[in-house]
Amino acid sequence: MNLQQLRAVRETSHQHFNLTLVAQALHTTQPAISRQIRELEQELGVELFTRHGKRLTGHTDAGREIVPIVERLLQEQANLRTAAADFRSRDAGELVVATTHTQARYALPRVVARFRRKFPHVKLAFHQSEPQRIVDAVRSGEADIGIATESLARATDLLSFPCYTWNHVVVAPPDHPLARATRPTLADVAAYPIVTYEVIFTGRPHIDEAFARAGITPDIVLTALDSDVIKTYVREGLGIGIIAAMAFDARADSDLAAIDAAHLFASNVTRLAIRRGVALRSYVYDFIELFAPTLTRTVIGHALRATAAPEASGYSI
């Protein structure tokens, strides 16, 4: 049994049994992957995957039991390297954060500035993407931390923690009729063309759900991935905007009015996710606590040590 065989088995599960994608991910050939899987199966005395001809189609009963063990073995191998690296140098290394544009642009700058002052030799990298891609990046180990509003709580194979709640605001030119409304209704908002987020981004499901419950079909004329684009097109007169409250800066956006929409759309929860069973560098704990002060090393460590069932991994504090 060797690490190459274990990686082949793990990646085959991750790539939904597509050996072409497995070979690409592991930078080898498809015959080499097939051979590594067969050799491990022969050593264990059981088949891990069902087959149709030469094609893998799923897990056998043995595979469903053994593949999670393979995952844990490889995770522990990575943890050994992490622990050793932390002892060699606690203040140097790399931290990769997968997050959305809104979090990177509005929620993280002050955190990053404080973190850089404390850990000037840690290389920070942000991977900005859509919520499901953030889940995938954390799950695969491509990112150490995932931060997003959508999707993290549903990824039950990850540990996710609530960090803070936020609401939407409606933005419009200062002379717009809505700017004079202290408590507009959904019907008031829907009377104008709307510019807002793409369906999978930044609390958009709560916007759609609110209009659907009210039986209103809003005129959404443009969608975008980030708040800056939305505000730009509101300034161009395409319509009113619905954005995250954190994305409105009274000074930078002085040419726009922000109308509170907390009574119109449900609150959103930004969450932070890590892999279950992972060993974290010391500076990763510091970054997490800077972002969400309630998520101390004790809280994170307790969650990582817990042996709760996967469905309990949407951790609450």
Side-chain angles (χ1 to χ4, degrees):
M1 185 183 304
N2 58 53
L3 290 174
Q4 286 79 11
Q5 293 167 348
L6 299 179
R7 291 190 186 107
V9 168
R10 177 180 65 180
E11 196 63 33
T12 298
S13 299
H14 288 182
Q15 299 293 348
H16 305 291
F17 319 109
N18 185 324
L19 294 188
T20 300
L21 296 180
V22 175
Q24 291 173 358
L26 296 181
H27 308 291
T28 185
T29 64
Q30 195 169 327
I33 295 296
S34 297
R35 185 179 67 253
Q36 289 162 358
I37 292 172
R38 275 298 189 191
E39 288 173 352
L40 181 59
E41 289 178 325
Q42 289 168 3
E43 182 175 348
L44 295 175
V46 293
E47 291 192 341
L48 303 178
F49 301 101
T50 56
R51 290 166 170 84
H52 182 77
K54 294 183 178 181
R55 188 164 55 88
L56 302 187
T57 57
H59 290 117
T60 62
D61 290 342
R64 280 188 284 274
E65 291 282 340
I66 291 172
V67 169
I69 298 172
V70 170
E71 295 270 6
R72 292 197 295 272
L73 286 171
L74 289 171
Q75 182 63 68
E76 288 303 318
Q77 186 250 354
N79 288 346
L80 280 172
R81 294 181 180 277
T82 298
D86 219 39
F87 276 100
R88 288 197 305 271
S89 177
R90 291 187 178 273
D91 299 334
E94 184 177 21
L95 172 57
V96 179
V97 180
T99 189
T100 62
H101 170 87
T102 299
Q103 299 295 331
R105 171 69 176 83
Y106 298 103
L108 286 167
R110 291 181 182 177
V111 173
V112 170
R114 293 171 64 192
F115 182 82
R116 287 287 299 158
R117 286 195 293 270
K118 188 172 184 179
F119 297 100
H121 302 297
V122 173
K123 180 183 176 182
L124 265 173
F126 280 1
H127 292 185
Q128 291 171 234
S129 190
E130 51 93 6
Q132 186 54 51
R133 182 69 188 88
I134 293 168
V135 169
D136 293 340
V138 177
R139 183 179 283 149
S140 68
E142 180 184 340
D144 302 294
I145 295 171
I147 299 173
T149 298
E150 304 82 358
S151 74
L152 293 182
R154 297 191 298 272
T156 56
D157 57 331
L158 302 178
L159 278 170
S160 72
F161 305 83
C163 299
Y164 65 91
T165 60
W166 57 270
N167 295 98
H168 288 98
V169 295
V170 175
V171 291
D175 58 353
H176 193 280
L178 275 183
R180 297 189 293 272
T182 56
R183 193 176 174 86
T185 66
L186 284 171
D188 293 334
V189 174
Y192 303 96
I194 295 172
V195 183
T196 191
Y197 300 106
E198 290 275 9
V199 173
I200 57 174
F201 278 85
T202 321
R204 171 66 188 275
H206 286 170
I207 296 171
D208 294 342
E209 289 162 7
F211 283 118
R213 281 195 305 270
I216 296 171
T217 302
D219 180 18
I220 297 177
V221 295
L222 180 70
T223 59
L225 301 181
D226 66 71
S227 310
D228 294 332
V229 172
I230 294 170
K231 288 184 288 186
T232 295
Y233 283 98
V234 170
R235 292 182 175 105
E236 291 297 321
L238 265 72
I240 61 173
I242 303 176
I243 63 172
M246 73 182 89
F248 183 82
D249 184 318
R251 184 182 304 171
D253 301 321
S254 59
D255 58 338
L256 295 174
I259 302 104
D260 180 43
H263 62 293
L264 300 178
F265 310 114
S267 296
N268 302 273
V269 179
T270 289
R271 302 183 73 93
L272 179 146
I274 55 177
R275 294 189 305 284
R276 291 169 58 86
V278 70
L280 299 176
R281 295 291 304 271
S282 295
Y283 55 72
V284 178
Y285 287 105
D286 283 81
F287 184 93
I288 292 172
E289 191 168 353
L290 286 171
F291 181 69
T294 57
L295 298 182
T296 63
R297 184 170 187 141
T298 300
V299 169
I300 299 293
H302 173 74
L304 286 170
R305 290 189 298 272
T307 56
E311 59 267 21
S313 65
Y315 200 79
S316 297
I317 56 173

